[in-house]
Amino acid sequence: MTAKRVSLTVNGRGENIAADGLTTLQQVLREALDYNSVKDGCTQGSCGACSVLVDGELRIACLLPAGGLQGAEVTTLEGLNARNSTSVIQQSFVEHSAAQCGFCTSGMIVSAQALLDENPAPSRDEIMEAISGNMCRCTGYLPIVEAVASAARKLAKGDGA
Amino acid sequence: MKAKAEMDGIGGGGHAVGQPIKQRELDSHVKGQTLYYEDVKVPRMLHLKIHRSPVAHARILNIDTSKAEQSDGVVAVLTYRDVPATKVWSHFEAIGAAPGAEPILAVDKIRWKGEPIAAVAAETLSQAEDAAAKIKVTYEKLPSVFDVDEALAPGAPELFDCWPGNHYVFPDDHKAAQIRFGDVEKGFAEADHLVEHVYRTRPIEQAPIETAGCVAVPGSDGRYTIYTNSQALSTTRNSAAEIAGLPVARLRLVGGTAGGGFGGKVDMAIEPMALLAAMKSKRPVKYRFTREDEMTVSSTRAAWRVSIKDGVMRDGRITARHVITHQDIGAYLRNSIYGAFKHASHMPGPYTVPNVWADVYCVFTNRTPSAAMRGFGVMPASFAIEMQMDRVAKAIHMDPWQFRLKNAFRNGDMKAHRREVWDAALVETIQAAARLTAKDLPEEYRQMSSAKRPLSAPRIAGG
Amino acid sequence: MAEYLLPDTLAEAGEMMAAHGRSLAIMAGGTSAMRCGTCRGRRGRGIACIECAGPRLVSVPNSAYVMGIQRLGLDRLEADNGVLNIGAGVTMRNLAASDMPAALCQAARRVGGPALRNMATVGGNIFARQPYGTVAAMLLAMDAVPVFTGPDGSREVALAEFYTSGAIAAGLLTHIECPHPQGRLVFVKCARQRFAGPTVITVAVRIELETGGKVAAARIALGGAGETPLRAEAAEQLLIGEKLEAPAIEAAAAAAKAACAPADDPVASAWYRRRMVGVYVARALEQAGEGEAP
Ligand SMILES: Cc1cc2nc3c(=O)[nH]c(=O)nc-3n(C[C@H](O)[C@H](O)[C@H](O)COP(=O)(O)OP(=O)(O)OC[C@H]3O[C@@H](n4cnc5c(N)ncnc54)[C@H](O)[C@@H]3O)c2cc1C
Ligand code: FES
Ligand code: FES
């Protein structure tokens, strides 16, 4: 049985990867394509450290079969780094010390970006729900919620647009 | 927002205390550019899987690795025969501060469910997993003990021949870490009330989001480089060298960036194993705990049983505190004596008590060996003490805030382990908490401070 | 190694299933199947992984073929002629945002976090290991009927019967049909966190009241209280002809608690789950009894 080839776009670049039935997007991104922002905290969908966007929607890369991603557009934090709105979120994370060990951080920022893309003025509860699939053992979440709220305010004022 | 120089910390020319200091890796964290050990890619790397014991207590009759050796992709299979020092795990064992007992691969006995028995290094992780599952171990099962009550019961099964009754014996032939200060019996005799209770905590997994892991890489010069997320680089280097029978100079550990640890990565659980596999296979070897490993076989915070007896006067002065603690350290010692000493020296808590007696035991059980977690030994001490403070306050019908303020230590007081207090802040902290929570304190208590008591006042609690 | 197949039509899917038989596993969102696939039953040796602990269902890790169903057009959500028609491939996110009955949308919203809801499907939820099956429990209370297509054409079986008969998938689940629910629907989930909390138990009820406020029909479905989502039939019976007030509610809650058979897992003990069944059945019934009696 041969591994199937799949063509997809990652962070704007065309890629052609080999994937068997159980190859995950996380494996492809970390091992084949060296996107190190995609972390592996559990390999079972529980921690959110591998969060990425697929066609603009939030996904858990460690549970996503790469075999089904023909033609998909995948965005990791590396790809978001160029976006203005992401840098506003990142600046807020820095200002609020919302990252300590940093291992959950890329997933958190991808989730925050997915939230703000859909809902530019989230309530506190909406922020908490939006990052509820991302675990953080260091910060106690409060600085993260505050960082996202402050990024939303800044973006609404047009600070980073 | 502070000026950039200040945010950058001490280098900015100002003082560090009271100033926000920017975490060094913050900018790279938020961009996903921080390099963790796993982001270092090494060519021709093998993956390690451990075959572990499914039983908690047993004698090993036979270990058969033949099927694993023939399994696809397998490069090396290791058992205790490949381990130069089979009685060293922890730093204390490596430097001779504790008698050696724990093998990194079991030799003839299993003392906990999950104890490592053999290691398989293979081209891929699933090949290593497949092969590890083919290792056959024959056991003669033994009865087991799962908490201190069971372990200390008369006639209980014993884990070690050298430690009868499952009591660890400290090097100077004491069964316990001890504190002796004043005369507790005299203190109890003087007291208006005696209040006694037992407090227990359960094991907790530190659960960092990045699981423990490392990559050991053989170099052409006979040196080995280990990329690791250990919280204890230098002690890990010492124990790994000791276990592998190498001069320390032949090991280079690269670390410093960990995706959380909380005490769970001080254990040297993985580096020696990866090193030995790299030595045997002559290839780089990655050994990484899966999330399941992290939750089931990595060491946890211990379970503690703390019995406290206090003597207290009607006016709220504690006259004596007597503590007996049993730390359920699990199947092996690892760093538990350190936790026991910290627990003992934390007694009687941040309070000035003239008569203190504490015995802190380490007890072996057939549980996962325990280790550090955030305030090793101190958290269970504080938990028990503060629960007891509430209980005593209730017994003498005193407000628990006032009761604590009255007994809180002051600068110049003598602590039970004979260090003078010089940086006390408990009184001010409680007062600040009262202000923040709109707790009403009488004037007398609002006026208290941690300042040295006047010379005429006795050096014991009394407000 | 398994090969990933991605059929474009139901006919093509049918051919693949016929050709590969037991060596083919169906993959919807993959949120259970991939977990099981990466673990392969080996990582968690000695611990009960929630995906492979149970006795039933298609085994993904050992299959030679994995078939993705995202191109089969199974993501339709329709309500016509008094029947709700829910495609097996509808994601939790889309169900939560739909105009389906509010309690069903709430159930979908209580599955995992947002990323998971973007992936997890209703079809996959029907097969979920307990204590999962959050939406399945709600559908059970709504008398839903899963519809399968297989080599011998399509087959319908009431969800309640599907579970009591061993929860064996008869081919590909295409959609779930369900009469437009009469009466009041309530969904409650017990978890230790407000958002994305792992399930302790779930309770879904449907109550029809007759004039005078007496119960004419009752469905109480429990998630996390047995090997599959299950109906608390004894409790349902106790409610018939009663008003939804304290004595009847307490009796029903006690009956549900007595009849369930929850399991221990790292999230909660069987002991705690059983107690929570009592508490949450009572809460759900109280909620169902709120407002004007007909
Ligand atoms: C972190 C996390 C949290 C979770 N929280 C919850 C929760 O709160 N509540 C809950 O209910 N679940 C939860 N789950 C479990 C799971 O996500 C859901 O049950 C989900 O609905 C499964 O759907 P899926 O599409 O991902 O199924 P898959 O994983 O793709 O499939 C699951 C099983 O169903 C079979 N299958 C799927 N679709 C079909 C079909 N159309 N025909 C025949 N067979 C089919 C597959 O072969 C497989 O055996 C959680 C999972 C994770 C990882
Ligand atoms: S690594 Fe994917 S969710 Fe934890
Ligand atoms: S910053 Fe360490 S886990 Fe979130």
Side-chain angles (χ1 to χ4, degrees):
Chain A
M1 204 172 309
T2 51
K4 177 167 143 177
R5 306 293 307 183
V6 176
S7 296
L8 69 173
T9 310
V10 181
N11 297 331
R13 253 182 63 171
E15 306 280 2
N16 184 268
I17 48 123
D20 87 49
L22 297 177
T23 305
T24 65
L25 177 61
Q26 180 187 47
Q27 285 170 325
V28 169
L29 293 172
R30 273 196 68 80
E31 288 162 27
L33 304 177
D34 279 340
Y35 287 111
N36 284 330
S37 79
V38 182
K39 293 297 175 212
D40 183 355
C42 68
T43 341
Q44 51 174 247
S46 300
C47 75
C50 64
S51 303
V52 297
L53 303 178
V54 174
D55 298 328
E57 263 190 21
L58 195 61
R59 291 281 191 283
I60 300 168
C62 69
L63 294 184
L64 199 64
L69 291 177
Q70 178 66 34
E73 244 179 73
V74 177
T75 312
T76 68
L77 184 57
E78 282 89 348
L80 292 176
N81 277 337
R83 276 177 65 175
N84 278 333
S85 56
T86 306
S87 63
V88 172
I89 300 173
Q90 288 166 328
Q91 194 48 43
S92 286
F93 267 62
V94 171
E95 283 162 14
H96 289 85
S97 293
Q100 285 181 28
C101 79
F103 206 74
C104 70
T105 310
S106 24
M108 284 287 180
I109 290 181
V110 174
S111 289
Q113 183 71 58
L115 167 72
L116 298 184
D117 283 348
E118 245 178 68
N119 178 359
S123 67
R124 221 182 149 75
D125 267 6
E126 285 167 337
I127 295 173
M128 295 210 276
E129 186 172 13
I131 60 165
S132 63
N134 298 79
M135 287 192 187
C136 176
R137 285 288 282 168
C138 301
T139 63
Y141 300 101
L142 217 61
I144 298 176
V145 173
E146 271 154 18
V148 178
S150 125
R153 284 193 300 271
K154 280 188 211 161
L155 287 164
K157 275 194 280 167
D159 283 10
Chain B
M1 180 77 345
K2 297 276 173 193
K4 187 174 177 309
E6 280 180 43
M7 280 286 288
D8 281 349
I10 311 170
H15 295 287
V17 175
Q19 299 299 321
I21 296 178
K22 188 167 153 185
Q23 212 254 43
R24 208 178 302 124
E25 295 168 310
L26 206 43
D27 288 325
S28 69
H29 281 348
V30 297
K31 291 189 147 59
Q33 291 166 345
T34 304
L35 280 186
Y36 298 82
Y37 90 92
E38 219 181 348
D39 302 327
V40 178
K41 311 259 158 81
V42 185
R44 299 186 66 242
M45 186 169 76
L46 300 175
H47 298 262
L48 200 70
K49 178 72 187 180
I50 307 292
H51 181 91
R52 293 174 182 277
S53 164
V55 294
H57 201 188
R59 246 182 287 284
I60 297 179
L61 301 180
N62 187 42
I63 304 172
D64 177 2
T65 58
S66 54
K67 288 233 166 62
E69 272 152 35
Q70 285 148 24
S71 192
D72 280 352
V74 170
V75 178
V77 178
L78 292 88
T79 65
Y80 68 90
R81 292 190 192 88
D82 301 288
V83 183
T86 52
K87 285 194 165 193
V88 181
W89 179 299
S90 77
H91 179 54
F92 291 118
E93 290 170 330
I95 62 170
E102 182 169 11
I104 67 162
L105 292 174
V107 179
D108 48 10
K109 210 180 163 191
I110 292 299
R111 294 184 177 86
W112 59 285
K113 179 177 165 179
E115 183 153 0
I117 299 171
V120 179
E123 301 288 347
T124 69
L125 181 60
S126 44
Q127 285 172 339
E129 287 172 345
D130 285 341
K134 291 177 190 160
I135 292 172
K136 285 258 168 314
V137 183
T138 333
Y139 302 98
E140 177 195 331
K141 282 195 198 163
L142 298 169
S144 21
V145 287
F146 292 116
D147 62 31
V148 293
D149 304 278
E150 286 180 11
L152 299 177
E158 288 172 346
L159 274 78
F160 296 93
D161 296 336
C162 59
W163 287 307
N166 296 317
H167 265 108
Y168 175 70
V169 182
F170 290 82
D172 51 1
D173 225 17
H174 278 287
K175 266 195 175 176
Q178 300 180 324
I179 295 284
R180 299 290 184 267
F181 185 65
D183 179 348
V184 278
E185 288 312 321
K186 186 170 135 279
F188 287 151
E190 286 166 10
D192 293 325
H193 293 277
L194 298 179
V195 181
E196 207 173 342
H197 203 74
V198 183
Y199 304 92
R200 292 167 184 271
T201 66
R202 288 198 177 194
I204 298 175
E205 165 55 38
Q206 300 86 352
I209 301 292
E210 180 200 42
T211 61
C214 71
V215 183
V217 186
S220 52
D221 55 356
R223 289 179 86 203
Y224 293 86
T225 303
I226 305 180
Y227 300 92
T228 169
N229 58 17
S230 168
Q231 284 179 267
L233 278 184
S234 59
T235 50
T236 301
R237 185 166 85 144
N238 293 348
S239 4
E242 185 71 22
I243 292 168
L246 290 178
V248 171
R250 282 177 57 191
L251 293 187
R252 176 173 164 250
L253 269 73
V254 181
T257 300
F262 318 111
K265 289 174 181 166
V266 297
D267 218 31
M268 306 131 218
I270 47 172
E271 294 83 357
M273 198 62 254
L275 172 63
L276 287 174
M279 288 166 70
K280 185 161 183 180
S281 66
K282 304 189 169 54
R283 298 262 300 266
V285 173
K286 178 174 180 177
Y287 177 21
R288 170 188 188 279
F289 276 176
T290 61
R291 176 53 55 193
E292 293 84 352
D293 290 337
E294 192 72 42
M295 301 307 283
T296 54
V297 302
S298 82
S299 45
T300 62
R301 175 182 267 161
W304 296 70
R305 187 180 81 182
V306 187
S307 314
I308 309 182
K309 180 176 172 185
D310 283 351
V312 62
M313 306 302 288
R314 252 184 295 274
D315 67 3
R317 279 173 300 142
I318 304 172
T319 58
R321 175 161 280 173
H322 179 278
V323 181
I324 298 182
T325 293
H326 290 96
Q327 182 189 180
D328 173 352
I329 64 175
Y332 290 100
L333 185 64
R334 299 207 179 162
N335 298 323
S336 296
I337 38 175
Y338 181 58
F341 285 129
K342 284 188 65 166
H343 183 92
S345 50
H346 191 66
M347 294 298 169
Y351 304 104
T352 297
V353 179
N355 304 295
V356 180
W357 188 104
D359 266 5
V360 182
Y361 296 92
C362 292
V363 179
F364 293 107
T365 65
N366 295 106
R367 283 230 274 234
T368 309
S370 66
M373 180 172 175
R374 317 197 86 178
F376 199 0
V378 174
M379 193 289 310
S382 300
F383 164 74
I385 289 166
E386 296 311 325
M387 298 302 286
Q388 173 78 355
M389 291 300 281
D390 283 345
R391 187 175 293 270
V392 176
K394 203 166 173 190
I396 58 169
H397 308 292
M398 190 169 176
D399 174 75
W401 297 64
Q402 295 175 23
F403 176 57
R404 284 183 173 82
L405 282 165
K406 196 153 208 174
N407 289 289
F409 55 37
R410 312 292 204 263
N411 288 331
D413 286 356
M414 186 57 75
K415 297 191 212 172
H417 61 293
R418 294 179 182 75
R419 285 278 180 283
E420 202 175 284
V421 177
W422 59 273
D423 56 352
L426 181 58
V427 170
E428 289 73 14
T429 306
I430 295 176
Q431 288 164 337
R435 282 194 298 276
L436 287 171
T437 55
K439 160 82 187 171
D440 217 9
L441 286 174
E443 184 60 20
E444 179 197 341
Y445 289 88
R446 271 183 280 147
Q447 292 307 324
M448 285 180 174
S449 91
S450 292
K452 227 177 164 88
R453 295 169 207 272
L455 271 180
S456 57
R459 272 185 161 193
I460 58 164
Chain C
M1 278 271 270
E3 190 177 342
Y4 193 89
L5 307 173
L6 197 55
D8 288 304
T9 61
L10 278 175
E12 212 183 313
E15 282 161 27
M16 288 174 178
M17 290 171 73
H20 302 305
R22 295 289 300 164
S23 61
L24 179 143
I26 293 169
M27 176 92 69
T31 58
S32 286
M34 285 302 280
R35 229 184 183 189
C36 196
T38 16
C39 160
R40 304 159 75 234
R42 282 187 204 102
R43 297 228 172 130
R45 285 181 83 75
I47 57 160
C49 162
I50 196 167
E51 312 305 344
C52 41
R56 53 195 101 229
L57 307 192
V58 190
S59 156
V60 174
N62 301 320
S63 56
Y65 299 92
V66 172
M67 186 177 84
I69 61 166
Q70 61 266 45
R71 293 198 183 155
L72 300 181
L74 301 179
D75 50 359
R76 279 196 302 271
L77 268 169
E78 287 157 0
D80 44 32
N81 300 329
V83 177
L84 309 179
N85 188 323
I86 303 164
V90 170
T91 60
M92 295 301 165
R93 172 204 170 104
N94 288 346
L95 180 57
S98 72
D99 51 11
M100 286 282 148
L104 182 60
C105 299
Q106 277 163 20
R109 192 161 171 191
R110 295 301 303 273
V111 175
L116 191 93
R117 288 196 291 277
N118 288 342
M119 300 163 70
T121 66
V122 176
N125 206 260
I126 300 289
F127 303 101
R129 304 276 178 216
Q130 294 295 290
Y132 292 153
T134 302
V135 168
M138 191 69 237
L139 289 169
L140 187 58
M142 292 164 68
D143 295 331
V145 179
V147 181
F148 293 91
T149 65
D152 329 319
S154 87
R155 201 184 133 216
E156 300 182 6
V157 51
L159 197 49
E161 194 194 324
F162 174 71
Y163 285 133
T164 46
S165 65
I168 307 295
L172 175 72
L173 174 66
T174 54
H175 63 284
I176 293 140
E177 283 179 9
C178 173
H180 202 288
Q182 304 295 311
R184 301 173 176 188
L185 290 183
V186 176
F187 171 83
V188 285
K189 168 173 164 173
C190 170
R192 294 178 213 239
Q193 284 154 243
R194 196 147 59 103
F195 300 111
T199 311
V200 176
I201 54 127
T202 51
V203 176
V205 305
R206 185 173 68 81
I207 298 289
E208 288 176 47
L209 296 177
E210 55 195 24
T211 31
K214 291 202 171 131
V215 175
R219 293 285 181 275
I220 302 177
L222 308 176
E227 281 192 14
T228 64
L230 47 91
R231 290 248 310 266
E233 287 177 32
E236 292 171 356
Q237 286 307 317
L238 286 176
L239 290 173
I240 305 295
E242 303 289 330
K243 284 193 169 177
L244 273 189
E245 284 166 0
I249 289 177
E250 278 163 26
K257 199 170 135 185
C260 67
D264 284 319
D265 71 15
V267 173
S269 64
W271 175 89
Y272 181 67
R273 286 205 157 94
R274 186 184 291 280
R275 290 180 73 102
M276 290 306 105
V277 164
V279 172
Y280 279 76
V281 165
R283 274 187 204 173
L285 291 174
E286 275 159 24
Q287 248 174 279
E290 278 165 14
E292 295 278 299

